[in-house]
């Protein structure tokens, strides 16, 4: 049974004082408090499963990348046994960082300080001048390896946790896995990254980005309103000078789970009707998927979908698939349908991680993906358009990354630190009839339930 300690900050504030569970409000102080940030590194990033990258970034034996699990640098490496290992990037001898590079290929990871050597799986090989036993005789070589995390590879995605005896990765995903399978496990060949991830630093607390990634749909209507003016939803201005209306895109189904994973499932009927002129109600899931394949899937791949998923999952994929959502604590995924000038639709698939770099700094990391079997010319187009829209200088991300620093700065004010973030727009109509999947589900205009669930799990971890 989980016990709750409700830690107290140095000024006497309890963690539970920062969240009003009854009124669904969170004090802005949470977005910049240094003491709270240090607790998050221990209670969240050292205890949950953290997304680190994709297995196709390290396809060969000895390949590695250096990533972060909260405030800890780690080496993500493919060892000689073809397995992926995640090891703390700290030499157990004198605390030197083992790898100072972003990645590469190495059969041995060598500490530049005193020359201690480690295998890609983290095992200690030895120190220079073997006959002098410069690693000493107090500890065995087995005891001197790099600290190893627990690793899960899911649909090519690499996750790790320091919580060695904690919940399994499947338990951590919970009900979200039923939906995530339709995104990450669609084909036999699987996905690949289209080059290394883009990265840039934002002067903002990691939670400003992460709580938005928990399926905040409402901000699209205002922060990204240009989509209705010059983007794919634009139309000829009316007599009042107004462009396209984004409001219809705010309706759909939203799913949230116990562990703070969420997604927005947006109806495809309007797209199918506009593209084909056919009535979606008269079409089977197979016909819908063939007319409008999921982002990143070609018509030639549709038979694979039909063989890999249940009727209920195919119903979801062909009617209201997850298009935007998150992995708790700091990951976001986007599977977006991009209309093309010739009337066709191109898929964009991106993954973001909002890596904590301090109470008021995060690193934005962006991966662009495609199915391995996608034709090269389509991959090239997907990469270009995905970067233009969702990359570090993309039109959407320029909007988002402008708001987060303002929130962080405001949260430091003597008065504003006690102002509350409010999550009080609730779904009131219950679970939609005949919804095929598990989890908590709301239908209609986008609401706050998904983001509030993100904060509820944050609160549970911080007080556990």
């Amino acid at each position: 049974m989980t016990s709750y300690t409700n830690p107290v900050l140095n000024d006497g504030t309890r963690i539970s004082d920062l969240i009003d569970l009854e009124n669904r409000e969170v004090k802005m102080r949470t977005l910049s408090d240094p003491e709270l940030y240090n607790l998050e590194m221990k209670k969240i990033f050292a205890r949950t499963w953290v997304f680190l990258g994709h297995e196709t970034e390290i396809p060969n034996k000895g390949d590695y990348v250096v990533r972060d699990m909260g405030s800890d640098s780690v080496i993500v490496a493919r060892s000689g046994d073809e397995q992926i290992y995640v090891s703390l990037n700290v030499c157990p001898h004198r605390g030197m960082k083992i790898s100072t590079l972003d990645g590469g290929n190495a059969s041995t990871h060598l500490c530049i300080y005193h020359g201690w050597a480690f295998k890609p799986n983290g095992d200690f090989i030895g120190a220079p001048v073997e006959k002098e036993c410069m690693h000493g005789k107090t500890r065995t070589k087995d005891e001197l390896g790099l600290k190893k995390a627990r690793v899960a590879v899911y649909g090519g995605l690499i996750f790790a946790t320091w919580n060695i005896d904690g919940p399994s990765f499947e338990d951590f995903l919970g009900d979200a896995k039923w939906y995530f399978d339709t995104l990450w496990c669609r084909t036999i060949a699987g996905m690949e990254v289209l080059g290394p991830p883009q990265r840039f630093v934002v002067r903002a607390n990691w939670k400003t980005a992460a709580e938005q990634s928990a399926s905040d749909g409402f901000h699209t209507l205002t922060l990204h309103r240009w989509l209705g003016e010059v983007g794919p939803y634009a139309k000829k201005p009316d007599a009042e000078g107004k462009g396209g209306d984004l409001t219809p895109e705010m309706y759909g189904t939203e799913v949230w789970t116990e562990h703070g994973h969420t997604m927005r499932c947006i109806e495809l009927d309007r797209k199918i009707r506009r593209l084909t002129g056919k009535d979606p109600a008269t079409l089977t899931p197979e016909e819908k998927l063939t007319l409008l394949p999921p982002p990143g899937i070609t018509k030639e791949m549709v038979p694979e979908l039909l063989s890999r998923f249940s009727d209920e999952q195919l119903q979801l994929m062909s009617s209201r698939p997850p298009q935007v959502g998150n992995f708790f604590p700091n990951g976001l995924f986007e599977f977006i349908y991009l209309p093309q000038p010739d009337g066709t639709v191109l898929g964009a698939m991106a993954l973001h991680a909002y890596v904590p770099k301090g109470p008021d700094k995060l690193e934005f990391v962006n991966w662009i993906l495609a199915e391995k079997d996608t034709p090269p010319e389509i991959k090239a187009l997907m990469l270009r358009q995905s970067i233009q829209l969702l990359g570090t200088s993309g039109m959407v991300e320029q909007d988002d990354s402008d708001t987060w620093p303002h929130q962080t700065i405001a949260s430091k004010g003597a008065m504003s630190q006690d102002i509350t973030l409010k999550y009080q727009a609730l779904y009131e109509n219950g679970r939609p009839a005949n919804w095929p999947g598990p989890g908590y589900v709301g239908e209609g205009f986008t609401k706050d339930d998904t983001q509030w669930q993100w904060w509820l799990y944050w609160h549970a971890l911080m007080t556990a």
Side-chain angles (χ1 to χ4, degrees):
M1 179 179 293
T2 301
S3 60
Y4 291 87
T5 59
N6 199 10
V8 179
L9 303 179
N10 286 334
D11 67 353
T13 301
R14 298 175 301 171
I15 298 295
S16 60
D17 294 335
L18 300 174
I19 296 189
D20 184 339
L21 296 177
E22 181 177 354
N23 291 313
R24 297 167 58 125
E25 298 182 3
V26 181
K27 287 192 176 182
M28 286 190 66
R29 173 181 173 177
T30 58
L31 301 182
S32 60
D33 188 287
E35 189 180 359
L36 198 64
Y37 175 85
N38 290 332
L39 280 172
E40 289 170 341
M41 297 305 103
K42 296 176 181 178
K43 287 179 165 287
I44 295 178
F45 285 91
R47 303 294 294 172
T48 61
W49 289 91
V50 178
F51 169 67
L52 296 176
H54 197 272
E55 64 177 351
T56 57
E57 295 181 80
I58 48 173
N60 304 309
K61 295 178 182 179
D63 285 351
Y64 71 95
V65 291
V66 174
R67 295 285 154 78
D68 293 287
M69 291 176 64
S71 54
D72 289 306
S73 175
V74 295
I75 300 171
V76 184
R78 190 179 292 275
S79 189
D81 60 3
E82 295 287 355
Q83 298 300 306
I84 293 174
Y85 293 85
V86 175
S87 306
L88 188 65
N89 191 17
V90 176
C91 183
H93 181 218
R94 300 285 168 79
M96 175 61 190
K97 195 174 185 180
I98 299 291
S99 178
T100 57
L101 303 175
D102 289 334
N105 181 280
S107 59
T108 300
H109 293 283
L110 191 67
C111 178
I112 63 171
Y113 195 7
H114 294 96
W116 282 31
F118 304 87
K119 294 179 181 179
N121 68 1
D123 288 350
F124 178 58
I125 298 172
V129 194
E130 178 70 19
K131 67 177 182 179
E132 297 295 342
C133 195
M134 290 306 294
H135 63 277
K137 298 180 180 179
T138 303
R139 295 186 180 275
T140 66
K141 286 188 174 182
D142 288 342
E143 295 177 288
L144 295 175
L146 303 180
K147 183 176 178 62
K148 298 180 185 181
R150 189 174 165 201
V151 178
V153 180
Y154 166 67
L157 306 178
I158 303 170
F159 292 81
T161 180
W162 299 117
N163 192 1
I164 304 302
D165 299 318
S168 69
F169 180 70
E170 286 209 1
D171 287 342
F172 177 62
L173 287 188
D175 288 335
K177 185 178 184 301
W178 187 90
Y179 300 92
F180 290 168
D181 284 351
T182 68
L183 301 176
W184 308 111
C185 307
R186 302 183 301 184
T187 63
I188 295 172
M191 291 185 187
E192 64 181 357
V193 292
L194 300 182
Q198 296 176 297
R199 296 156 58 182
F200 77 114
V201 171
V202 184
R203 298 294 302 189
N205 184 274
W206 70 277
K207 293 189 297 301
T208 59
E211 67 89 37
Q212 183 197 96
S213 75
S215 300
D216 176 5
F218 189 30
H219 80 281
T220 305
L221 194 63
T222 50
L223 187 62
H224 304 314
R225 64 183 180 274
W226 59 267
L227 285 166
E229 298 167 351
V230 300
Y233 302 102
K235 65 179 181 180
K236 187 176 180 180
D238 57 25
E240 297 180 0
K242 297 178 181 178
D245 182 12
L246 291 177
T247 303
E249 298 299 321
M250 298 299 100
Y251 289 89
T253 304
E254 294 181 344
V255 180
W256 59 101
T257 65
E258 291 288 345
H259 293 159
H261 313 304
T262 73
M263 64 208 78
R264 296 196 68 225
C265 303
I266 303 172
E267 186 177 307
L268 297 183
D269 284 358
R270 291 188 301 276
K271 290 182 174 65
I272 293 174
R273 192 177 289 111
R274 184 171 65 245
L275 289 168
T276 68
K278 297 182 179 181
D279 180 5
T282 66
L283 303 174
T284 66
E286 179 178 356
E287 290 171 328
K288 288 183 180 181
L289 289 168
T290 303
L291 288 169
L292 184 61
I297 294 291
T298 64
K299 291 182 180 180
E300 292 73 21
M301 297 179 193
V302 170
E304 279 197 65
L305 303 183
L306 302 177
S307 66
R308 292 174 70 83
F309 296 108
S310 67
D311 290 343
E312 292 77 13
Q313 287 172 311
L314 292 171
Q315 177 189 337
L316 175 86
M317 297 168 73
S318 63
S319 58
R320 287 194 177 184
Q323 294 186 38
V324 180
N326 77 302
F327 298 118
F328 188 94
N330 65 328
L332 173 140
F333 61 83
E334 296 167 298
F335 283 67
I336 298 177
Y337 298 83
L338 295 178
Q340 300 298 294
D342 63 359
T344 60
V345 176
L346 184 74
M349 298 186 295
L351 264 170
H352 301 336
Y354 306 113
V355 181
K357 291 291 183 178
D360 56 3
K361 184 163 62 175
L362 67 87
E363 184 179 47
F364 181 114
V365 187
N366 174 49
W367 293 261
I368 306 297
L369 299 104
E371 298 289 345
K372 290 179 182 177
D373 291 338
T374 301
E377 63 275 12
I378 298 180
K379 286 181 183 177
L381 190 58
M382 289 173 63
L383 177 61
R384 179 169 63 83
Q385 293 197 11
S386 297
I387 288 175
Q388 289 172 346
L389 190 67
L390 308 171
T392 52
S393 60
M395 296 177 72
V396 168
E397 303 311 333
Q398 288 186 62
D399 294 339
D400 290 332
S401 59
D402 183 53
T403 63
W404 305 329
H406 291 294
Q407 292 174 281
T408 303
I409 292 169
S411 69
K412 299 178 183 180
M415 293 294 102
S416 56
Q417 65 178 316
D418 287 328
I419 296 294
T420 56
L421 313 172
K422 297 171 180 64
Y423 302 87
Q424 296 158 346
L426 315 179
Y427 283 109
E428 298 176 344
N429 51 2
R431 184 185 182 87
N434 301 320
W435 182 255
Y440 300 106
V441 186
E443 184 176 49
F445 195 88
T446 181
K447 293 294 192 293
D448 294 336
D449 299 78
T450 54
Q451 289 175 276
W452 180 241
Q453 184 61 42
W454 187 95
W455 279 109
L456 286 179
Y457 192 48
W458 179 93
H459 176 264
L461 290 170
M462 291 293 285
T463 58

